[in-house]
Amino acid sequence: MATNPLGFPSWNIPGDNAWQLTAASLVGLQSIPGLAVMYAGLVKKKWAINSAFMVFYAFSCILIVWVIWGYKMAFGVQWGSAPFVGTPGPVLTSDQLLAQAILPTSGAMANYPMATMVYFQFVFAAITVVIMAGAFLGRINFTAWMIFVPFWITFSYVVGAFSLWGGGFLASMGVIDYSGGYVIHVSSGTAGFVGAWWIGPRLAKDREDFQPNNVLMVLVGAGILWIGWNGFNGGDPYSASTDAGVAVLNTNICTAMSLLTWTIWDIVYHKKPSVIGAVNGLVCGLVAITPAAGVIDGWAAIVMGILSGSIPWFSMNITAKYFRIFTIVDDCLGIFHTHAVAGFVGGMFTGVFATPDGCAAYGLTNPGGAIAGNWKQVWLQLVGALFIIALNIVMTSIIFGLLGLVVSLRMSDAALEIGDDAVHGEEAYAIFHDGQRSLLYGDTERHHVNAGGELGHMNVTEGIPVNQDDRMATGSVRKDSPVSGEEIKQE
């Protein structure tokens, strides 16, 4: 077999390429199946499929947007004179993807092909929207979600990414966001909270009683999320460097400390060590360390773990009870607390704990943070956070405001009563018989209709058949159906 010299250019370092692809795959696993499984377990049984499929849809949609125009908007040549966004365009040809990875506006380059860089940056864009979805679970109209995802990536995410990572004005100012504390977490937490207001709340009884349907599934998803974060932060030096190792270690130190801290607060206040609380604690630790991972010392990672296990705990368990906005806005999984608050905490204390050596190892010229005498870094971190918050309040509101003129943002109350079966025609668990779909309609059994074992229509008790027309596309039930809307009960 002939050797293709294009496959082994002198600038390509196999170790760097292998690590970057591994890191990207770890981040991809955080979304699929990590957050898909975690969300499916956290919600009521009737929303398990819808919640998981929102993740799969977003992941798929964003990849297509990314390679056709999104990547260049986030990491390409600056578009015009405003240092907010790159010039849109595709990255799909062989000559583009086989070339050395270069970020033209920032001047950064890596020792592997552009294809690797494009995929690595994509999984970060995808998980941002997937995280945001946690605020919308249990009521967003799936059609609205399908339309919202590409618009938000195009008009909000790429602006933050270019401004901080692609060589935009925040990067030029010296704001530090090692791996997405601002670009991903403050962004998704803010947009999730704002979007939740636009969409409206779940049913009142669902807000009052929304116990997880599978805590063990939640732990599986959380475990994938935690270990996947080794790629999340360890991949951002763009090489298998010494700083990548520091980032991975600090990530795990902070996360462990945050989980322990949150658990202690739960025991003190609630008198029990909540498993779901511990998951919130580990997520906050992962989020808080993200902007700082490779530029701080290990002892600072411990301190940040204490802070991330405490400040978001108080915002979720104490502060939220005294501010009416948190009762009006239905942030289903508390994404504002675990991502916006934790990301803000992490970003600000990056300005405190960043060291000159850590910054140099990451390739920054910043002279460290406040502990090194550079108090200006704290101010810069605040400016970066405020820009990302303002950006997402404005753009998310514009997108949902316009989208609401075209399609309903929230499902009908009848569909919300039923859940997955109304939206997708499927249920997560066939408890009584293989293929059984819904007891809401009196369904008790299926009959084989051919020799191949194909299942036919479900029968209803008392011999009254239910045909497909009895289930409207909106998830509501016809007045002449054997089971009326008023008779629908939750699982």
Side-chain angles (χ1 to χ4, degrees):
M1 179 182 294
T3 300
N4 179 6
L6 291 178
F8 302 92
S10 59
W11 46 259
N12 184 61
I13 297 179
D16 284 353
N17 194 26
W19 167 238
Q20 208 65 30
L21 289 170
T22 301
S25 297
L26 286 170
V27 179
L29 285 169
Q30 290 182 295
S31 291
I32 299 177
L35 285 172
V37 170
M38 185 172 163
Y39 287 174
L42 278 169
V43 298
K44 299 185 79 169
K45 179 176 72 69
K46 68 175 181 177
W47 291 118
I49 287 176
N50 181 257
S51 301
F53 189 54
M54 284 176 65
V55 175
F56 277 78
Y57 170 79
F59 197 86
S60 302
C61 178
I62 293 167
L63 178 55
I64 303 305
V65 169
W66 199 245
V67 296
I68 295 178
W69 68 80
Y71 174 80
K72 282 195 171 183
M73 292 183 73
F75 295 97
V77 177
Q78 182 175 306
W79 194 5
S81 58
F84 301 107
V85 69
T87 305
V91 278
L92 289 167
T93 63
S94 295
D95 60 333
Q96 289 176 311
L97 299 176
L98 290 171
Q100 184 175 8
I102 297 175
L103 309 185
T105 303
S106 69
M109 62 177 59
N111 295 311
Y112 43 75
M114 183 63 77
T116 301
M117 179 66 78
V118 170
Y119 185 74
F120 179 76
Q121 300 296 357
F122 149 69
V123 291
F124 284 86
I127 200 171
T128 306
V129 178
V130 168
I131 290 168
M132 187 200 313
F136 307 155
L137 300 181
R139 84 280 197 183
I140 188 172
N141 180 354
F142 196 80
T143 301
W145 177 244
M146 293 176 69
I147 300 170
F148 172 78
V149 169
F151 276 93
W152 190 85
I153 281 291
T154 302
F155 294 104
S156 187
Y157 178 82
V158 298
V159 176
F162 184 86
S163 298
L164 275 160
W165 291 341
F169 82 104
L170 292 177
S172 299
M173 289 174 62
V175 178
I176 300 174
D177 189 6
Y178 189 90
S179 196
Y182 288 170
V183 175
I184 295 172
H185 300 295
V186 171
S187 178
S188 60
T190 303
F193 194 75
V194 173
W197 181 84
W198 280 95
I199 296 165
R202 289 164 289 169
L203 294 175
K205 56 186 175 182
D206 279 350
R207 292 192 71 180
E208 294 170 3
D209 181 16
F210 206 73
Q211 296 298 315
N213 78 88
N214 195 323
V215 176
L216 291 179
M217 188 182 292
V218 173
L219 289 175
V220 170
I224 295 172
L225 195 67
W226 184 340
I227 301 305
W229 225 279
N230 291 341
F232 199 106
N233 289 343
D236 262 292
Y238 295 162
S239 65
S241 67
T242 54
D243 196 49
V246 172
V248 169
L249 180 59
N250 281 341
T251 296
N252 285 269
I253 291 172
C254 181
T255 303
M257 192 71 244
S258 185
L259 183 152
L260 296 174
T261 303
W262 193 292
T263 300
I264 291 170
W265 283 119
D266 275 350
I267 293 172
V268 171
Y269 189 78
H270 299 296
K271 309 305 178 185
K272 291 183 179 180
S274 167
V275 173
I276 298 301
V279 171
N280 283 329
L282 80 85
V283 169
C284 288
L286 292 168
V287 170
I289 195 62
T290 293
V295 298
I296 64 172
D297 290 334
W299 66 263
I302 294 176
V303 175
M304 289 185 71
I306 295 172
L307 294 169
S308 64
S310 299
I311 297 175
W313 186 95
F314 274 91
S315 75
M316 179 180 286
N317 290 278
I318 306 298
T319 308
K321 296 179 180 179
Y322 297 99
F323 287 87
R324 190 165 179 265
I325 187 66
F326 291 106
T327 61
I328 296 173
V329 178
D330 182 13
D331 177 1
C332 183
L333 300 184
I335 300 302
F336 175 81
H337 306 284
T338 56
H339 292 272
V341 174
F344 182 83
V345 169
M348 293 305 299
F349 280 94
T350 298
V352 174
F353 294 130
T355 67
D357 288 345
C359 290
Y362 186 47
L364 300 177
T365 58
N366 303 53
I371 61 168
N374 180 28
W375 284 94
K376 179 184 177 182
Q377 193 63 50
V378 178
W379 165 250
L380 292 175
Q381 296 303 110
L382 178 61
V383 171
L386 292 178
F387 173 78
I388 294 296
I389 291 169
L391 168 69
N392 283 281
I393 291 174
V394 172
M395 295 311 303
T396 305
S397 293
I398 291 174
I399 295 170
F400 268 127
L402 294 176
L403 183 56
L405 301 176
V406 180
V407 62
S408 175
L409 301 180
R410 182 179 180 270
M411 296 183 207
S412 67
D413 284 355
L416 294 179
E417 290 278 4
I418 299 169
D420 288 337
D421 200 14
V423 183
H424 303 286
E426 298 161 315
E427 288 189 351
Y429 310 107
I431 297 175
F432 294 95
H433 304 286
D434 289 340
Q436 179 140 347
R437 292 178 59 197
S438 177
L439 295 178
L440 296 171
Y441 298 88
D443 300 338
T444 60
E445 60 182 339
R446 282 180 181 269
H447 291 292
H448 295 294
V449 296
N450 60 32
E454 180 181 347
L455 294 172
H457 293 293
M458 290 178 243
N459 285 347
V460 179
T461 56
E462 300 180 356
I464 304 174
V466 174
N467 59 53
Q468 293 301 312
D469 292 335
D470 283 322
R471 302 181 185 188
M472 300 171 65
T474 61
S476 60
V477 182
R478 285 174 34 169
K479 292 181 179 179
D480 59 349
S481 173
V483 180
S484 69
E486 289 74 23
E487 295 171 333
I488 294 176
K489 297 181 180 179
Q490 291 184 335
E491 69 284 3

